[in-house]
Amino acid sequence: NKLLHHVPVRRLEAEAIRDSILAVSGSLNPKMFGPSVPPYVSTYQDGRGKPKPGPLDGEGRRSIYIQVRRNFLPAFYLAFDYPLPISSIGARGTSTVPAQALLMMNNEFVSEQAANWAAKVVEAAADPRDRLALMYRRAFARIPTQPEVDQILNFIAEQAQRRADVEVWADVAHVLFNSAEFLYLR
């Protein structure tokens, strides 16, 4: 197991996934230190002591700068095995459950960042192949394979007849965020 090809695949932690989404979409605020940012509290979260909600993207700050409220933990963190702040834990558990995929597909934060990324990619390049190459380099540090290019370009051609260009590319960005290659380290 000393060889790289034997290294076990490992899923990123909640904070690393959130920070990666911000970095890839170009929304990451690199500012260090300073006051923490109040957590985003959705309209569905209710309870005693409900804080004033912070911005959905946490002002683009890294996850370490988001306040932790015991009764109002973000669903994004909870789905990816964020430890409950009511007790200390020596090692964080890791699970792979359907709720994680559902959260990545339906979460407001992920959708917003996919739209931000798509707008930047559409502005940066006119050719769909160039856009796709930019996205793959940013998300995976590689160029897409020919089958990936063909599949995504077919999807774009089909969707472009019904929807705006930026919306279609936001869907592509959303798919890349949801991929195993984005969520797992090899």
Side-chain angles (χ1 to χ4, degrees):
N1 284 340
K2 292 179 182 178
L3 301 175
L4 186 59
H5 70 278
H6 284 291
V7 174
V9 175
R10 180 173 61 94
R11 197 199 67 232
L12 294 173
E13 296 172 338
E15 301 93 319
I17 293 170
R18 182 186 172 278
D19 292 352
S20 296
I21 289 172
L22 285 170
V24 168
S25 70
S27 302
L28 184 66
N29 179 351
K31 178 184 171 194
M32 293 178 62
F33 312 111
S36 59
V37 179
Y40 173 74
V41 180
S42 76
T43 55
Y44 305 109
Q45 289 178 294
D46 204 13
R48 195 174 84 191
K50 183 175 181 176
K52 181 181 176 201
L56 180 60
D57 69 347
E59 297 175 2
R61 301 289 307 273
R62 289 188 48 222
S63 298
I64 196 167
Y65 296 109
I66 304 296
Q67 292 175 1
V68 175
R69 299 288 179 106
R70 285 189 308 190
N71 296 337
F72 297 95
L73 291 172
F76 190 88
Y77 289 175
L78 291 174
F80 288 99
D81 305 313
Y82 189 79
L84 297 177
I86 58 174
S87 63
S88 59
I89 296 175
R92 191 181 290 199
T94 302
S95 64
T96 302
V97 295
Q100 294 164 346
L102 290 170
L103 180 121
M104 289 297 289
M105 288 189 324
N106 298 312
N107 186 270
E108 299 163 306
F109 168 73
V110 178
S111 297
E112 177 187 70
Q113 294 308 311
N116 290 348
W117 188 20
K120 290 174 181 156
V121 167
V122 166
E123 186 178 310
D127 182 50
R129 289 181 184 278
D130 293 340
R131 290 176 183 173
L132 197 53
L134 284 172
M135 293 178 92
Y136 266 75
R137 266 190 248 123
R138 185 110 177 148
F140 309 131
R142 67 175 179 87
I143 58 171
T145 63
Q146 192 57 47
E148 290 169 334
V149 170
D150 294 341
Q151 189 174 17
I152 292 173
L153 291 180
N154 287 339
F155 169 77
I156 291 167
E158 180 185 306
Q159 293 296 313
Q161 301 167 4
R162 293 177 266 182
R163 299 173 41 217
D165 200 29
V166 176
E167 291 175 359
V168 176
W169 283 98
D171 286 347
V172 173
H174 206 144
V175 167
L176 296 180
F177 284 151
N178 280 285
S179 69
E181 190 172 354
F182 189 80
L183 298 173
Y184 290 83
L185 290 178
R186 290 182 179 231

